[in-house]
Structures are given as structure tokens and as C-alpha cells.
């Protein structure tokens, strides 16, 4: 059995029901909108976000969840999908998970409007049901994701990212959404409890480990979602590179910065940078940091009683580190 199927086992029924509710949440009277949202639904990924919501909610509440849990999962998926559609427009990207993106098939104008539609659907789903606490959690996440993207763009121009700034960027860009999923799960069954913040922290730690793992793929040879060296080509400063920049000679640092700034389209030069980072401990350092975040997340889980949901969350934490793409 695939690890993702194993993780999903204790919430298989909820995930099936969620899919029905999610499709209803996206429904519209406009035929074009329904065509596009149907395309989106049929090309969904692993659905890790709703899985986090359900697993955390069931772990917190002895296996019981409420309609609020389904709404929380739908809201996060609606708003996350909206950000992905907008991202593809911003990045001028024609593919998403191996399929054509919305903007590639229906052009930018429709893609932006679809993103806006999904965003408003998510907001209204919460407002119509007075789930203002859930809405606040997701709104904070969207604000932070935007800030993280802009901070990264600003820093990429100067290539002056310290390790602390890097953590702040990935906390906002990636970890904040997984943190929102976990705190939504807790808030849906135990509003205003300390568990809401504890689970937010748990999700944030997983998100940090997840992003560092993604950065490591840039240095790997495996056939994965993105080609090797793409971060360097895009002048993205990731942890292996930041570590080596801070721990090499002045001359080597000047060569590295010059390579990333002015020779990032030169395949041979990019390969040289990758080999230099590997040889100087960049990957080992990033792996050790990733594992530290993983350990911290597992320490938080250890405080909760054993259950199939906790076991799946543990598997999820390990999967984040061990995944091949």
C-alpha cells in the first residue's frame, strides 16, 4: 500500500464525503465557471491539506468531527486553489502537476477571475456559517503567504539572504498554510482551546521541514517534479546555498554570487555551483536542519494519546522527509 493511502486510511470516509461537499462549495450558475472548476477538481493532487484538517480534528476529539470540520477543510482547499491559480498567472506557468494550467487553457483574464471567485467562495462559506475563528486562521495564512513571496522577490534581487531571513520566507510561504490546516482542524472541534495554537506550531514545523526537502530536490538526480538547478536558475536562495555562502572564502563567495546572478542560465556553471555546494557540506547541513524540525513536530505529537489518527500524522511527518518528489 502506498504511504499516502496508509495515511488516509483512518479518514477515508471523511475524505470521500469532503470531495462531494467541496464540489458543492465550488458550484456556480455560470457554465464557464463550472467547466473550469470541474477541470480543477479532476486534477487534484494528494490532498494533504484536507487530510491534515481531518486527522488533527479526529485526534483532538476521540474520532468525532462536525460539519465545521468539513467547512474548515473546504475553506482551506478553496483558498489554496485560488492562490495556485493566481500563482500560475504570476509565474506565467503553463503546467500544474503535469497538466495544463488554467491560464494556459483559458488565458490570464479568466484564470484571475476564477481565482477571485474561489477566494470569495471560501470567505462566504465561513461568513454564512459564522465560522469567524476559522476565517481568521485562513486569512492570516493568505496574508503571510503573500508577504513571504514578496520578501523572497525583494531578497533575490540583492542575494543577501541570511539563514534567519530564509526561515522567515519559508515560514510565511510554505509553513503557514500547513500550520493553518492543523490549527483549523483543532479549532473546528475545540474552538478557543490551547490545542489550536499547539497544532498551529506542529503544522508550521512540518511545513518548514517540507520546504527544506523541496530545496534539496534542486540538488538531486532523481526524476522529480522540477529539474535540477531550477532554483539557481531562478536566483532563489535556498538553505544549502546560504550555508555554503556563509562558510566559504571571500573569493569563493564572490564566484558563487556572480554565478547565481550573472551565469544562472549557463548549464555548466549551474552544475559547478551544485557540485561546490555539495562538496562544502551544504546538503548535509540542510538535512540536519530538516530533521531538527521533524523531531520537534514529533515531540509535540508525543503529548497526545495513541490513536489511528495520531499514527497517521506521524506517518505524514515522516513522509514529508522521505518523499521522492
Amino acid at each position: 500500500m502506498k504511504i499516502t493511502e496508509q495515511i488516509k486510511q483512518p479518514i477515508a470516509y471523511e475524505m470521500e464525503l469532503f470531495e462531494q461537499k467541496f464540489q458543492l462549495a465550488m458550484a456556480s450558475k455560470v457554465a464557464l465557471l463550472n467547466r473550469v472548476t470541474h477541470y480543477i477538481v479532476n486534477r487534484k493532487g494528494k490532498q494533504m491539506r484536507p487530510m491534515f484538517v481531518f486527522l488533527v480534528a479526529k485526534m483532538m476529539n476521540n474520532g468525532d468531527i462536525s460539519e465545521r470540520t468539513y467547512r474548515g477543510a473546504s475553506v482551506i482547499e478553496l483558498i489554496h486553489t485560488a492562490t495556485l491559480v493566481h500563482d500560475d498567472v504570476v509565474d506565467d506557468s503553463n503546467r500544474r502537476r503535469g497538466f495544463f494550467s488554467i491560464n494556459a487553457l483559458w488565458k490570464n483574464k479568466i484564470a484571475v477571475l476564477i481565482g477571485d471567485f474561489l477566494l470569495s467562495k471560501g470567505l462566504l462559506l465561513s461568513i454564512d456559517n459564522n465560522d469567524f475563528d476559522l476565517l481568521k486562521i485562513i486569512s492570516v495564512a493568505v496574508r503571510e503567504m503573500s508577504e513571504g513571496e514578496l520578501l523572497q522577490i525583494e531578497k533575490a534581487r540583492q542575494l543577501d539572504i541570511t539563514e534567519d531571513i530564509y526561515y522567515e520566507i519559508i515560514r510565511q510561504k510554505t509553513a503557514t498554510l500547513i500550520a493553518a490546516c492543523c490549527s483549523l482542524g483543532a479549532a473546528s472541534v475545540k474552538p478557543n482551546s490551547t490545542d489550536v495554537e499547539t497544532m498551529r506550531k506542529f503544522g508550521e514545523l512540518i511545513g518548514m521541514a517540507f520546504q527544506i526537502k523541496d530545496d534539496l530536490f534542486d540538488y538531486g538526480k532523481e526524476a522529480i517534479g522540477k529539474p535540477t538547478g531550477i532554483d539557481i536558475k531562478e536566483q532563489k536562495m535556498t538553505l544549502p546555498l546560504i550555508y555554503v555562502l556563509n562558510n566559504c572564502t571571500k573569493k569563493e563567495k564572490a564566484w558563487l554570487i556572480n554565478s547565481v546572478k550573472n551565469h544562472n542560465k549557463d548549464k555548466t556553471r549551474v552544475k559547478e555551483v551544485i557540485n561546490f555546494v555539495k562538496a562544502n557540506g551544504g546538503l548535509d547541513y540542510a538535512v540536519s536542519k530538516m530533521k531538527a524540525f521533524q523531531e520537534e513536530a514529533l515531540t509535540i505529537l508525543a503529548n497526545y494519546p495513541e490513536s489511528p489518527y495520531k499514527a497517521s500524522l506521524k506517518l505524514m511527518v515522516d513522509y514529508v522527509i522521505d518523499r521522492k518528489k
Side-chain angles (χ1 to χ4, degrees):
M1 189 189 288
K2 269 187 175 172
I3 182 112
T4 43
E5 291 306 311
Q6 226 176 314
I7 293 166
K8 217 185 258 192
Q9 248 186 332
I11 50 163
Y13 169 77
E14 286 79 9
M15 289 297 290
E16 236 173 83
L17 193 52
F18 161 72
E19 283 193 32
Q20 296 166 23
K21 289 175 185 282
F22 183 57
Q23 286 186 27
L24 282 173
M26 282 210 275
S28 155
K29 292 191 179 86
V30 179
L32 173 61
L33 253 171
N34 287 331
R35 254 203 322 278
V36 180
T37 53
H38 181 73
Y39 180 81
I40 291 169
V41 167
N42 286 333
R43 277 148 196 80
K44 61 185 180 298
K46 295 185 194 77
Q47 292 190 298
M48 281 173 76
R49 284 158 301 278
M51 281 159 71
F52 272 121
V53 175
F54 290 120
L55 287 170
V56 168
K58 295 194 89 166
M59 180 180 78
M60 293 283 131
N61 208 30
N62 302 319
D64 292 329
I65 58 167
S66 63
E67 269 305 312
R68 251 167 74 86
T69 312
Y70 286 103
R71 289 199 298 270
S74 292
V75 166
I76 202 125
E77 202 66 343
L78 281 164
I79 291 178
H80 174 65
T81 307
T83 61
L84 291 184
V85 173
H86 282 166
D87 276 355
D88 286 339
V89 175
V90 171
D91 298 338
D92 202 13
S93 173
N94 289 325
R95 311 287 287 184
R96 163 79 53 189
R97 297 194 191 105
F99 295 100
F100 283 116
S101 58
I102 303 301
N103 48 304
L105 291 172
W106 284 280
K107 301 288 177 268
N108 282 354
K109 186 175 182 178
I110 288 175
V112 170
L113 292 169
I114 293 287
D116 292 346
F117 170 78
L118 294 172
L119 198 58
S120 64
K121 276 286 198 179
L123 300 176
L124 285 168
L125 183 61
S126 295
I127 291 165
D128 291 345
N129 292 284
N130 294 325
D131 296 329
F132 297 110
D133 56 335
L134 305 187
L135 185 57
K136 185 174 182 182
I137 291 168
I138 188 65
S139 299
V140 167
V142 173
R143 182 197 70 203
E144 293 209 320
M145 283 156 68
S146 311
E147 285 179 349
E149 285 285 356
L150 289 163
L151 179 60
Q152 186 172 46
I153 291 166
E154 180 190 359
K155 292 298 175 185
R157 286 179 180 154
Q158 299 143 4
L159 296 186
D160 63 347
I161 294 188
T162 60
E163 200 172 315
D164 285 345
I165 290 174
Y166 165 79
Y167 289 136
E168 186 53 20
I169 288 170
I170 69 166
R171 188 191 67 74
Q172 291 188 313
K173 256 189 69 175
T174 304
T176 193
L177 190 68
I178 299 175
C181 295
C182 295
S183 59
L184 270 176
S188 72
V189 290
K190 287 195 169 179
N192 307 317
S193 67
T194 53
D195 290 315
V196 177
E197 173 54 25
T198 305
M199 283 294 111
R200 187 203 66 75
K201 184 67 186 162
F202 168 74
E204 184 173 284
L205 291 162
I206 296 175
M208 298 294 275
F210 184 93
Q211 187 56 54
I212 295 173
K213 177 71 173 184
D214 244 25
D215 294 348
L216 287 164
F217 282 142
D218 206 44
Y219 293 86
K221 285 192 172 74
E222 293 137 72
I224 45 155
K226 65 177 184 181
T228 307
I230 197 95
D231 287 340
I232 295 165
K233 289 186 186 94
E234 291 177 1
Q235 297 189 4
K236 279 184 189 161
M237 300 291 279
T238 59
L239 190 55
L241 183 59
I242 292 164
Y243 171 78
V244 172
L245 274 171
N246 292 334
N247 290 279
C248 62
T249 65
K250 249 187 174 163
K251 193 178 169 187
E252 288 167 334
K253 187 172 183 173
W255 173 79
L256 272 174
I257 287 179
N258 182 32
S259 301
V260 175
K261 241 186 177 156
N262 305 313
H263 302 280
N264 53 45
K265 302 286 186 279
D266 178 342
K267 279 184 182 171
T268 311
R269 189 73 168 256
V270 168
K271 213 171 237 176
E272 283 171 12
V273 170
I274 287 173
N275 291 334
F276 185 82
V277 170
K278 283 179 177 174
N280 286 273
L283 299 199
D284 294 338
Y285 181 76
V287 167
S288 71
K289 286 292 179 185
M290 174 178 75
K291 290 196 166 154
F293 284 120
Q294 178 197 28
E295 284 306 314
E296 220 184 314
L298 289 170
T299 305
I300 290 175
L301 267 191
N303 297 317
Y304 290 93
E306 295 304 319
S307 69
Y309 319 110
K310 177 181 167 178
S312 274
L313 283 168
K314 268 190 189 162
L315 274 178
M316 191 82 111
V317 177
D318 293 337
Y319 170 69
V320 160
I321 301 258
D322 300 331
R323 68 201 164 96
K324 297 285 181 275
K325 63 178 178 178

